[in-house]
Amino acid sequence: MKKSELRDKIKSLVQQTYKAKSINLDNGEEITLDADKFPVLVKFPKLKDVIVDLLTNQYEVFMKAIEWVAPRPTTFRIVLGNDENFLLIYTERSWIAQVEGKKYYLLNLGEEEQAAESISRLLAYGVPAPAEGEAPAEGEAEAPAETPAETPAEEEETTTTA
């Protein structure tokens, strides 16, 4: 490859980069330049700060989605990787985390730590069960078939009268 060919290829790639959110390579692969996995965080930058406080900078590993649930009070549902979720509610004074039905006012450091521990427990629940038709993951045993419970009528028939 000549120096001029390389220069032309770089120019074309730069033009593609600034025009589109993705680059098409010669072998048919596409590289996406859109790094935002959660577009809601672009609209609400304070939300990202709260999530980082609760889940650390590596929050993307533990989260599946952020859903904007209600406009007033501004409420977000944070869906974790194991399909568990919790709510973050914005108020004038502070953010409120609602985890497993309990509210934590994140203005208080103690309650923020308790909220982080509750979220940690949610994450510890494990991965969701496979959908129908999927094989269970390695190390998971299939659930045994349920046996029908005895009815009270059967128990009455077995009693003897004296």
Side-chain angles (χ1 to χ4, degrees):
M1 179 178 280
K2 293 181 182 178
K3 191 175 185 179
S4 61
E5 290 175 351
L6 179 63
R7 187 178 303 133
D8 291 338
K9 187 161 185 141
I10 290 173
K11 282 183 182 180
S12 69
L13 287 174
V14 168
Q15 288 174 353
Q16 285 179 357
T17 301
Y18 285 109
K19 285 183 183 177
K21 292 280 186 183
S22 63
I23 298 173
N24 293 322
L25 301 177
D26 294 336
N27 60 3
E29 289 184 40
E30 185 174 330
I31 299 173
T32 304
L33 300 175
D34 186 17
D36 290 331
K37 185 176 177 182
F38 307 110
V40 175
L41 295 179
V42 175
K43 274 188 172 180
F44 302 97
K46 290 183 180 182
L47 175 63
K48 182 177 181 177
D49 295 337
V50 172
I51 291 173
V52 167
D53 286 344
L54 293 172
L55 295 173
T56 73
N57 289 337
Q58 299 174 350
Y59 62 90
E60 291 180 350
V61 175
F62 303 104
M63 290 177 20
K64 189 181 285 186
I66 300 174
E67 301 169 356
W68 188 5
V69 178
R72 282 206 167 185
T74 307
T75 307
F76 301 94
R77 178 179 297 120
I78 310 300
V79 182
L80 300 172
N82 59 356
D83 290 333
E84 296 289 334
N85 61 60
F86 66 95
L87 299 176
L88 287 175
I89 305 163
Y90 176 75
T91 62
E92 290 180 16
R93 300 185 101 191
S94 88
W95 286 86
I96 301 171
Q98 186 172 350
V99 184
E100 294 180 317
K102 183 163 177 23
K103 290 184 178 181
Y104 300 96
Y105 294 87
L106 302 181
L107 185 62
N108 302 333
L109 183 59
E111 290 195 40
E112 183 179 326
E113 290 174 355
Q114 289 176 349
E117 288 175 9
S118 295
I119 293 168
S120 175
R121 278 194 301 271
L122 278 178
L123 288 167
Y125 287 161
V127 296
E132 285 186 35
E134 290 183 14
E138 228 176 272
E140 290 181 7
E142 290 188 28
E146 292 184 23
T147 56
E150 292 184 29
T151 60
E154 292 175 343
E155 291 176 9
E156 289 176 9
E157 291 177 358
T158 59
T159 58
T160 57
T161 55

